Amino acid sequence: MELFENSLAPKKVSMDNYNMTHLDELESEAIYIIREVAAQFERPVLLFSGGKDSITVFHLARKAFWPGKIPFPLMHIDTEHNFPEAIIYRDNLARQFGVNMIVKSVQDSIDSGRVTEETGVNASRNFAQITTLLDAVEEGKFTACLGGARRDEEKARAKERFFSHRDDFGQWDPKNQRPELWNLFNGRHRIGEHFRVFPISNWTEMDVWQYLKKENIEIPSIYFTHEREVIERDGVILSKSPFLTLKPGESYQTRKVRYRTLGDMTCTGAVYSECYDFDDIIEEVSATRVTERGGRADDKRSETAMEDRKKEGYF
């Protein structure tokens, strides 16, 4: 499977008639930030989930260091409740590009007693990822973790800087962040502290889809319409999986769905859709009034669910 068909080599542009599009500007900003990470931090890592945003950041990182290789590893915090399509994509990408893909398992954290698995019909391993991630950061002595979060995703995300400081417990204080003026980023940190860095913070969901189309980037098939057995619970369309417990009266129905965001199968909702290519998705997203995380059951647990997780060390 060819995940990135287009050449990353810089294109020759005539300066006599050169106007950057908004995607060109966003790309340039993101590449600048990725290069700043490589320059300022001794041990960065790129957090990779197989979702569209982390795929975009990976593609930008390849461009940032072309024709050389990306000078840092990728890391996936695997709950083992992921969609199979995302795992297949992750493994294909690692093979195709020869990248160092570090995989850390939430199941290992559970088996070692580091975390306690939730129980019940709405159980999820989403919160359990925090301990696995922080342990992996400490083990790898990573000083910066690049991620694909965007400010338009959710109100807690909107509070993030490009360079988001984490203390020596891996925690985030949204009221105590460093100013970022004129694209000057302060990556200074004490031993044990690290940063989360978000190169595509200023991108929207629409920007990501338009960029994926423009760059002709292969993404997991789950993002396009397909038939799947699902149930609808509390307004969230959940996929059939070995990890989902049915409530009395619930039964699976085969429907045409796709996913706008990827996470655990137990909490990531699908949308009913008829989108078979990038153009269909761009048209659908332009008309929707529901955010892409509007179907995430983990964000519906409380008004501050995402912010509470982030303060503890979540992505």
Side-chain angles (χ1 to χ4, degrees):
M1 180 172 66
E2 291 297 325
L3 301 178
F4 299 94
E5 295 181 2
N6 285 2
S7 171
L8 298 180
K11 299 177 177 64
K12 292 183 179 180
V13 179
S14 171
M15 298 307 293
D16 296 331
N17 185 23
Y18 180 59
N19 293 307
M20 293 182 71
T21 68
H22 82 285
L23 288 179
D24 293 329
E25 292 175 352
L26 289 171
E27 179 188 72
S28 178
E29 178 184 63
I31 287 175
Y32 172 76
I33 291 166
I34 292 168
R35 288 172 175 166
E36 276 292 296
V37 169
Q40 291 196 38
F41 296 95
E42 183 180 355
R43 293 185 63 83
V45 66
L46 194 163
L47 300 179
F48 188 83
S49 66
K52 68 183 187 304
D53 299 313
S54 63
I55 292 169
T56 299
V57 175
F58 173 71
H59 182 72
L60 290 164
R62 291 187 68 223
K63 280 198 168 189
F65 303 108
W66 180 265
K69 291 186 176 181
I70 298 175
F72 41 76
L74 280 62
M75 182 164 69
H76 180 214
I77 305 302
D78 188 356
T79 65
E80 299 188 33
H81 287 181
N82 301 98
F83 289 92
E85 295 91 335
I87 300 303
I88 291 170
Y89 184 97
R90 178 199 72 188
D91 294 342
N92 284 338
L93 180 139
R95 281 193 297 269
Q96 181 178 341
F97 297 107
V99 297
N100 178 13
M101 180 72 71
I102 301 168
V103 178
K104 295 296 181 180
S105 170
V106 171
Q107 185 63 54
D108 290 343
S109 299
I110 294 170
D111 292 342
S112 66
R114 292 284 293 148
V115 297
T116 302
E117 185 163 21
E118 291 183 359
T119 58
V121 293
N122 292 316
S124 168
R125 289 187 171 183
N126 207 31
F127 198 87
Q129 294 178 83
I130 297 172
T131 298
T132 309
L133 172 61
L134 295 180
D135 286 349
V137 170
E138 183 177 1
E139 179 185 341
K141 296 182 171 56
F142 296 121
T143 49
C145 299
L146 290 133
R150 309 184 324 269
R151 293 188 181 121
D152 76 319
E153 287 182 84
E154 203 271 346
K155 57 189 176 183
R157 299 279 200 211
K159 299 179 182 180
E160 291 277 20
R161 299 287 197 267
F162 282 111
F163 277 34
S164 184
H165 176 261
R166 297 297 195 269
D167 64 20
D168 53 355
F169 293 102
Q171 296 179 329
W172 173 61
D173 182 359
K175 296 181 179 179
N176 185 26
Q177 297 200 62
R178 300 175 182 181
E180 293 180 345
L181 307 174
W182 304 292
N183 285 339
L184 299 175
F185 302 111
N186 181 0
R188 296 184 63 182
H189 58 280
R190 299 183 179 90
I191 294 175
E193 298 176 340
H194 72 280
F195 278 78
R196 306 288 171 82
V197 182
F198 307 109
I200 60 172
S201 281
N202 283 339
W203 297 44
T204 65
E205 182 188 8
M206 178 65 80
D207 293 329
V208 171
W209 286 119
Q210 290 178 334
Y211 188 76
L212 291 169
K213 177 189 174 183
K214 171 178 172 287
E215 297 293 304
N216 196 23
I217 298 173
E218 184 83 17
I219 58 174
S221 60
I222 195 171
Y223 280 113
F224 300 103
T225 297
H226 57 286
E227 288 192 347
R228 207 175 193 98
E229 290 185 83
V230 298
I231 60 167
E232 189 164 348
R233 177 185 294 172
D234 300 325
V236 179
I237 303 166
L238 298 174
S239 176
K240 182 179 181 179
S241 76
F243 322 114
L244 188 64
T245 302
L246 293 180
K247 294 180 178 180
E250 288 183 332
S251 62
Y252 291 110
Q253 295 185 338
T254 301
R255 302 293 298 272
K256 287 185 177 180
V257 298
R258 76 173 191 89
Y259 288 83
R260 294 172 67 188
T261 178
L262 294 190
D264 264 22
M265 297 184 75
T266 56
C267 61
T268 304
V271 293
Y272 300 125
S273 178
E274 293 278 353
C275 291
Y276 297 96
D277 56 29
F278 284 130
D279 288 328
D280 290 342
I281 291 175
I282 289 169
E283 182 178 354
E284 181 182 84
V285 170
S286 68
T288 188
R289 294 296 177 264
V290 179
T291 67
E292 66 193 284
R293 294 190 68 95
R296 291 288 293 261
D298 48 329
D299 289 351
K300 297 178 181 291
R301 293 191 172 192
S302 73
E303 286 293 322
T304 59
M306 171 65 83
E307 184 162 332
D308 293 341
R309 295 199 305 273
K310 286 178 66 64
K311 286 179 179 179
E312 295 297 319
Y314 190 70
F315 306 109

